[in-house]
Amino acid sequence: MKILIIGSGGRESAFAYTLSKSPRLDQLFIAPGNAGTGAYGENVNIKVTDFEAIASFVLEKDITMVVVGPEEPLVKGIHDYFLNRDDIKHIPVIGPQQEGAQLEGSKDFSKQFMDRHGIPTAASRSFDAASLDEGLLYLEGQKLPIVLKADGLAAGKGVLICETLEDAKAELKAMIAEAKFGDASRVVVVEEFLKGIELSVFVLTDGNSYKVLPSAKDYKRIGEGDTGLNTGGMGSISPVPFADDIFLNKVEERIIKPTVEGLKKDGIPYKGFIFIGLMNVGGDPYVIEYNVRMGDPETESVLPRIESDLLDLLEGVAQGNLEQRSFTVSPKTAVTVMLVAGGYPGAYESSKEITNIENVKESLVFHAGTKEQDGKVVTAGGRVIAVTTLQNTLFEALQQATADAGRIYFEGKYFRRDIGFDLI
Ligand code: AMP
Ligand code: GLY
């Protein structure tokens, strides 16, 4: 098979690494990729939303499958673009069409979906410019803290947790009337605050049957002890120790099955990954959000634990016979520690030379924001490199990943030394 992966982050590096081991892979391309993905395939300098250029490349190279990493091309309709062109509609795209991508692209859509199908989630109501006054009144009757969510994609920044009524009212006005998050906050979901521990569950579906992939926990805050600003994710672990069989069974019965069934009932075709962000509230799972792709850096911990051929599962999705496929998961624990640029998630500098990667021997090194410049590997983003290790115990994995994160060098490098230690 000839595969094209769309994206350039640590997630796409993990996909490239995993697919490059498949005995059925003939050729692998990554668009645009980074300074590390070239080790697994060939980088192609095409933007993830340049559908025309992607289509031309796919035709030129006779690509047999396209695997979409990030949400943006999905929400913008890359899959529909393929289906609407006679010359490429036979080429399978892993990732939902635009309608299914609304599960991530619109929080209001996803809340309505969950309500319609009885999927446990925080109670909520949506407001826009026409109902802003009603929204302000509604806030007065709610418990604090209260959660405000911009409906649309806001680069992970569109969720505000307000501790006071005053703050909640000011933010609701800023989001709706002053376009705090641009068009994304034209509609705002006001949601009950759920208290518990978060984790993520990943599902692969062909629209009919599904496979539950390993669960993972992401560490979103920049600072140790889960303090400071939110980031794209500073590290991850898989499996999640507190997600035992009893809990995961509840997740499957109450959330995964009704989600896949709900898509079918609503007539929404869906071939791809569903990333379900969950809150464990006293042993019961509630959906915080859906994403229509894999997580980053969760993918870096999840995929290395899949021992069988991932391409076999993806082919099952493409051919609509996922039910007949099976896969095996390593019982080992994966820990991923993200190395980020100094200043991230605020302003940070780029083009810093990265050295000593070769000193990492016991972990996988997944490039994220890196590029080649004058024959050197340099930083080119906030999240620079994900270091993933797979060990027999959580404790060993934590020690190894943290030690290996320390071995790589670039000016301003920062990483959290406490990823996963809260779960020991
Ligand atoms: P989201 O962009 O929906 O993932 O939200 C970002 C973060 O906000 C989540 O990872 C949670 O930590 C937090 N969050 C979102 N919704 C809620 C909620 N209803 N209750 C508590 N925390 C929430
Ligand atoms: N790590 C969170 C995300 O990928 O959205």
Side-chain angles (χ1 to χ4, degrees):
M1 294 183 80
K2 290 187 183 180
I3 310 269
L4 172 65
I5 297 173
I6 306 286
S8 63
R11 167 183 49 216
E12 288 75 23
S13 291
F15 267 107
Y17 161 78
T18 306
L19 292 177
S20 72
K21 292 188 304 181
S22 170
R24 286 147 71 190
L25 182 83
D26 297 312
Q27 253 187 314
L28 181 64
F29 299 94
I30 308 99
N34 56 43
T37 48
Y40 315 117
E42 200 179 307
N43 287 343
V44 195
N45 191 13
I46 300 177
K47 280 207 321 221
V48 302
T49 50
D50 190 347
F51 300 164
E52 249 174 71
I54 291 170
S56 302
F57 181 80
V58 159
L59 286 169
E60 180 195 322
K61 296 289 181 188
D62 238 336
I63 297 293
T64 42
M65 182 188 285
V66 178
V67 180
V68 185
E71 63 278 15
E72 197 191 358
L74 294 168
V75 172
K76 290 196 169 144
I78 188 171
H79 196 153
D80 313 68
Y81 179 87
F82 269 66
L83 292 174
N84 289 332
R85 264 184 62 167
D86 282 339
D87 53 348
I88 50 172
K89 68 176 174 202
H90 61 285
I91 299 164
V93 175
I94 306 297
Q97 288 159 246
Q98 211 164 13
E99 197 182 3
Q102 289 298 300
L103 280 182
E104 175 165 2
S106 166
K107 304 252 186 217
D108 183 43
F109 177 94
S110 78
K111 293 302 284 196
Q112 288 187 30
F113 176 87
M114 287 184 265
D115 287 344
R116 191 158 62 241
H117 299 295
I119 296 166
T121 186
S124 75
R125 273 190 60 184
S126 297
F127 300 97
D128 62 9
S131 57
L132 176 56
D133 288 338
E134 206 184 321
L136 294 170
L137 209 61
Y138 175 79
L139 285 175
E140 289 182 7
Q142 300 307 304
K143 280 205 210 103
L144 293 166
I146 184 99
V147 184
L148 307 188
K149 298 185 170 184
D151 173 56
L153 292 183
K157 298 195 173 94
V159 175
L160 302 176
I161 296 172
C162 301
E163 303 287 342
T164 66
L165 177 62
E166 209 179 16
D167 188 32
K169 283 182 158 182
E171 291 293 359
L172 187 66
K173 273 191 224 159
M175 287 169 91
I176 293 176
E178 292 149 34
K180 177 165 179 160
F181 299 106
D183 203 41
S185 63
R186 217 168 30 82
V187 174
V188 173
V189 176
V190 177
E191 179 172 292
E192 162 200 20
F193 180 82
L194 296 175
K195 205 167 160 42
I197 319 187
E198 282 183 74
L199 72 153
S200 303
V201 169
F202 300 93
V203 176
L204 182 63
T205 180
D206 59 2
N208 262 312
S209 73
Y210 63 85
K211 301 286 182 211
V212 184
L213 303 178
S215 56
K217 182 167 162 46
D218 166 24
Y219 290 78
K220 285 209 172 78
R221 303 295 196 91
I222 187 72
E224 288 173 4
D226 287 328
T227 54
L229 294 173
N230 258 326
T231 69
M234 294 296 292
S236 61
I237 67 157
S238 176
V240 184
F242 62 82
D244 55 16
D245 286 349
I246 295 175
F247 181 77
L248 289 176
N249 190 46
K250 289 181 189 170
V251 174
E252 185 161 3
E253 293 302 322
R254 298 178 192 175
I255 295 169
I256 296 173
K257 279 186 186 165
T259 297
V260 175
E261 281 305 312
L263 287 166
K264 258 195 273 185
K265 276 187 205 150
D266 290 350
I268 301 174
Y270 199 109
K271 283 176 178 288
F273 294 95
I274 311 176
F275 158 170
I276 309 176
L278 295 171
M279 190 73 88
N280 175 348
V281 184
D284 289 317
Y286 288 80
V287 178
I288 292 276
E289 63 167 346
Y290 287 112
N291 294 303
V292 297
R293 52 174 172 88
M294 287 294 288
D296 192 355
E298 292 91 331
T299 307
E300 291 93 307
S301 288
V302 168
L303 291 189
R305 292 190 56 224
I306 297 181
E307 291 173 325
S308 51
D309 187 1
L310 177 68
L311 199 43
D312 187 53
L313 292 181
L314 298 183
E315 200 178 58
V317 172
Q319 296 178 354
N321 57 16
L322 185 61
E323 200 171 19
Q324 295 159 28
R325 317 281 173 144
S326 59
F327 70 110
T328 54
V329 174
S330 163
K332 290 185 178 181
T333 292
V335 171
T336 298
V337 174
M338 196 56 95
L339 311 184
V340 306
Y344 175 82
Y348 56 83
E349 285 180 66
S350 290
S351 297
K352 303 292 183 194
E353 186 179 359
I354 304 167
T355 56
N356 292 353
I357 291 178
E358 66 284 359
N359 290 350
V360 176
K361 308 245 191 291
E362 306 293 329
S363 298
L364 297 162
V365 175
F366 294 125
H367 287 236
T370 69
K371 66 174 181 190
E372 274 177 53
Q373 189 174 289
D374 308 326
K376 293 172 181 163
V377 176
V378 302
T379 66
R383 295 193 293 169
V384 177
I385 281 178
V387 175
T388 297
T389 195
L390 207 57
Q391 302 290 336
N392 286 326
T393 66
L394 174 59
F395 190 64
E396 284 170 279
L398 296 172
Q399 286 185 313
Q400 188 68 51
T402 308
D404 282 334
R407 291 192 165 92
I408 297 171
Y409 180 75
F410 57 88
E411 196 188 312
K413 178 187 86 169
Y414 169 75
F415 65 96
R416 276 180 62 171
R417 289 164 197 277
D418 68 333
I419 299 298
F421 279 95
D422 56 318
L423 299 172
I424 291 280

